[in-house]
């Protein structure tokens, strides 16, 4: 069963890497079609599984060589009830896909993990709606009911925790935190923000974190921000008082573009890789608790290695 569910290595204060933008990497670099951005469908055949292994192995190699922990998100951002239905998956088939996603990461953990480079497996949850423009804001009760199914499946696997990626409003985040708590799973909530540092719902990051903590008894192990460039959130995080200490992870986009601009883009913007690494390092100087460092849309292993080099002081490696 799980290795770190009772003691997550990324809470130790040491840097832990995370992977990058899985969907954009597979679509733009591997030439793989992913309807609805659903990477879990690749588990259905050998070629797809091989593509997933190549993707995760690139980050595992960086972490092992650097002697750093790594947190891997299962390719299940879209493996929940509504999205599964759109893709033609029954509930049973969807549960099996979630299990197989974790099994694949567990196999890789057996190959790559070392004492200095532990591998943490996170069961990835995505939003019920669109990750950029939610068509409906869920109540906490609706979100708890919806996401409990996927969390219950992860509970039976080797997943060490669950992470809700690209959360757009507090109702869904609260429901997920409550569902994870009910199933005995550590959870992380990762909000996305617009260029003004606010959630797509209009809530500030401070409001979102403080609301979720107040409504759940501070159930999340920590918070993250993803699918936004550091320039969209750095001033907000640095200016925070108290609540920003709950933010321990960043999975930034490569591009400085807004969500609307990214939606309309016809090509992948990989941004300035070295500048991204430098911005992570600058943020860590102000926020030393920011230790879980990964990427989101447009990022790949090159970006994560640059982040690793800048944040460990080995820029010329």
């Amino acid at each position: 069963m799980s290795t770190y569910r009772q003691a997550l290595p990324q809470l130790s204060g040491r840097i832990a890497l995370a992977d990058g933008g899985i969907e954009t990497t597979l679509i733009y670099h591997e030439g793989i079609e992913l309807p609805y951005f659903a990477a879990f469908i690749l588990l259905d055949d050998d070629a797809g599984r091989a593509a997933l292994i190549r993707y995760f192995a690139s980050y595992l190699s960086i972490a092992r060589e650097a002697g750093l922990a790594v947190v891997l998100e299962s390719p299940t951002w879209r493996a929940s009830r509504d999205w599964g239905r759109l893709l033609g998956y029954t509930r049973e088939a969807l549960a099996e896909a979630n299990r197989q996603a974790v099994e694949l990461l567990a196999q890789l953990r057996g190959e790559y993990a070392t004492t200095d480079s532990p591998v943490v497996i996170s069961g990835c949850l995505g939003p019920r709606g669109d990750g950029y423009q939610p068509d409906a804001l869920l109540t906490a009760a609706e979100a708890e009911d919806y996401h409990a199914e996927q969390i219950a499946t992860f509970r039976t696997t080797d997943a060490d925790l669950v992470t809700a990626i690209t959360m757009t409003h507090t109702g869904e985040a609260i429901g997920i935190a409550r569902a994870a708590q009910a199933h005995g799973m550590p959870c992380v909530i990762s909000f996305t923000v617009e260029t003004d540092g606010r959630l797509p719902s209009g809530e500030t990051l401070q409001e979102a974190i403080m609301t979720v903590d107040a409504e759940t008894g501070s159930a999340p192990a920590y918070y993250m921000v993803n699918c936004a460039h550091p320039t969209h959130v750095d001033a907000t995080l640095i200016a925070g008082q108290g609540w920003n200490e709950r933010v321990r992870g960043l999975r930034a986009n490569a591009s400085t573009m807004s969500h609307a601009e990214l939606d309309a883009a016809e090509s992948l913007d990989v941004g300035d890789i070295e500048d991204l690494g430098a911005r992570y390092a600058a943020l860590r100087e102000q926020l030393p608790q920011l230790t879980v460092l990964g990427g989101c849309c447009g990022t790949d292993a090159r970006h994560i290695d640059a982040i690793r080099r800048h944040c460990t002081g080995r820029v010329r490696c």
Side-chain angles (χ1 to χ4, degrees):
M1 297 301 290
S2 71
T3 302
Y4 300 114
R5 198 173 291 177
Q6 305 304 319
L8 299 174
Q10 65 267 41
L11 296 178
S12 69
R14 294 181 60 220
I15 288 176
L17 300 180
D19 55 294
I22 182 170
E23 294 88 3
T24 52
T25 296
L26 293 170
I27 293 170
Y28 289 97
H29 296 318
E30 294 272 355
I32 297 172
E33 184 177 353
L34 295 179
Y36 302 111
F37 258 39
F40 77 90
I41 66 172
L42 299 182
L43 295 162
D44 289 343
D45 60 60
D46 290 342
R49 293 178 69 87
L52 289 172
I53 290 170
R54 287 195 300 274
Y55 169 81
F56 286 112
S58 64
Y59 300 100
L60 287 161
S61 296
I62 292 170
R64 185 170 65 179
E65 182 177 344
L68 297 175
V70 59
V71 182
L72 299 181
E73 294 294 336
S74 61
T76 53
W77 187 67
R78 285 297 196 220
S80 61
R81 186 192 309 158
D82 288 359
W83 295 102
R85 186 181 300 116
L86 284 173
L87 292 158
Y89 283 73
T90 64
R91 281 190 171 187
E92 293 75 16
L94 199 59
E96 181 60 22
N98 279 287
R99 284 190 289 267
Q100 287 187 18
V102 174
E103 288 174 7
L104 183 143
L105 296 185
Q107 292 169 9
L108 289 170
R109 173 156 65 185
E111 297 176 28
Y112 284 89
T114 67
T115 302
D116 291 332
S117 183
V119 177
V120 182
I121 298 173
S122 173
C124 184
L125 311 170
R128 185 175 188 176
D130 189 278
Y132 286 173
Q133 296 178 341
D135 50 8
L137 301 183
L138 300 180
T139 66
E142 290 170 335
E144 183 175 1
D145 174 73
Y146 180 78
H147 290 286
E149 188 172 355
Q150 194 176 11
I151 293 171
T153 298
F154 285 135
R155 177 69 178 84
T156 66
T157 70
D158 285 340
D160 300 301
L161 73 156
V162 295
T163 302
I165 297 287
T166 325
M167 292 292 104
T168 60
H169 60 286
T170 54
E172 189 161 22
I174 291 166
I176 288 172
R178 288 175 177 170
Q181 195 171 39
H183 287 283
M185 289 292 290
C187 83
V188 172
I189 300 295
S190 183
F191 289 112
T192 188
V193 298
E194 302 291 349
T195 55
D196 61 1
R198 290 176 176 265
L199 277 61
S201 63
E203 298 161 290
T204 67
L205 192 58
Q206 177 179 358
E207 289 169 343
I209 290 172
M210 292 184 69
T211 298
V212 175
D213 270 353
E215 293 294 327
T216 66
S218 300
Y222 57 91
Y223 292 86
M224 294 175 55
V225 177
N226 79 284
C227 210
H229 193 265
T231 56
H232 303 165
V233 74
D234 54 2
T236 299
L237 286 176
I238 291 171
Q241 294 182 350
W243 64 269
N244 64 351
E245 295 177 4
R246 294 281 280 139
V247 181
R248 298 184 67 95
L250 177 63
R251 295 186 59 137
N253 284 347
S255 174
T256 61
M257 288 194 289
S258 68
H259 288 157
E261 291 170 325
L262 287 172
D263 251 352
E266 296 182 358
S267 59
L268 186 65
D269 180 6
V270 300
D272 185 325
I273 295 175
E274 293 302 319
D275 178 71
L276 186 70
R279 289 185 181 278
Y280 269 71
L283 265 174
R284 273 188 40 78
E285 287 183 4
Q286 301 288 329
L287 304 168
Q289 81 280 1
L290 195 68
T291 55
V292 182
L293 311 176
C296 203
C297 296
T299 63
D300 54 46
R302 295 171 298 171
H303 298 78
I304 303 306
D305 191 50
I307 292 166
R308 185 270 307 172
R309 288 186 283 104
H310 281 272
C311 290
T312 58
R314 296 194 290 269
V315 177
R316 294 185 174 82
C317 291

